[in-house]
Amino acid sequence: MSHAAPPPSRSGGTGSLRLRHNRWRGLTVALAGGALLLVTGSWWATHPADLPVRDGHVTAVTTPGRPVYIGVYSGAADGRLLRLGGVHVRTDATVPVEVEPLLCRGGSVSVTADAAVFCREVVAPDGQQLGPEDSLVLRVTGDEAGAAFIGRVSVAYRSGLRVGTSPAGTSAVVAIVPPTAS
């Protein structure tokens, strides 16, 4: 019995199994994996947990020309240290009103005619840090009798490496009534 040699392959070799590596396929897989990692990281960085909101609203009453301060968000509700990029307010009113967001450092306000009594410091919020002991306050002033509905504030912020914009706190209703005669 004789053993015959294996037939020669077309390439002239002896028929060994050899896998050819495709350089382009490896590069494509690496690029796709890198792109997926980049998209996932970008999504994570721009989608921090939303800030807490409350149902209902705060009600305040003032007279024309006299500001009223309304607390709409407390940092204690969230516990994170936030770097504020901006606080935006949407207002619907029957008369012209001025609504200014403020940062109350070291305190909180419900409704008052003077926030300085309840806050260690009252400052513009842009570029400031809001911690658990701080709160956001709106100063509302109108020169004539009317009413205003102020929606929840929208806060642009940075929390660690993450950046986001979220509604926060509660809405407010302000009545501006003429002073009563004494």
Side-chain angles (χ1 to χ4, degrees), residues 67-164:
V68 63
Y69 295 83
I70 305 163
V72 293
Y73 177 78
S74 172
D78 186 51
R80 290 183 279 180
L81 182 63
L82 306 177
R83 180 76 158 170
L84 301 175
V87 177
H88 306 281
V89 181
R90 183 187 52 79
T91 304
D92 293 320
T94 60
V95 295
V97 294
E98 181 181 327
V99 180
E100 180 183 7
L102 298 167
L103 175 62
C104 170
R105 290 198 183 282
S108 65
V109 170
S110 179
V111 175
T112 185
D114 184 9
V117 173
F118 300 98
C119 306
R120 185 177 68 241
E121 180 182 26
V122 180
V123 297
D126 292 359
Q128 300 293 323
Q129 288 189 347
L130 182 142
E133 69 282 352
D134 304 325
S135 61
L136 291 175
V137 175
L138 301 177
R139 178 172 52 205
V140 182
T141 309
D143 290 331
E144 49 188 289
F149 174 78
I150 305 163
R152 288 184 184 105
V153 293
S154 177
V155 180
Y157 63 97
R158 175 181 297 275
S159 175
L161 296 175
R162 302 176 87 180
V163 177

Side-chain angles (χ1 to χ4, degrees), residues 31-48 161-163:
L31 287 174
L36 180 62
L37 185 62
L38 182 63
V39 167
T40 303
S42 296
W43 182 90
W44 177 84
T46 58
H47 289 80
L161 296 175
R162 302 176 87 180
V163 177

Side-chain angles (χ1 to χ4, degrees), residues 36-65:
L36 180 62
L37 185 62
L38 182 63
V39 167
T40 303
S42 296
W43 182 90
W44 177 84
T46 58
H47 289 80
D50 286 339
L51 299 175
V53 296
R54 289 191 340 228
D55 290 333
H57 62 271
V58 177
T59 303
V61 179
T62 189
T63 56

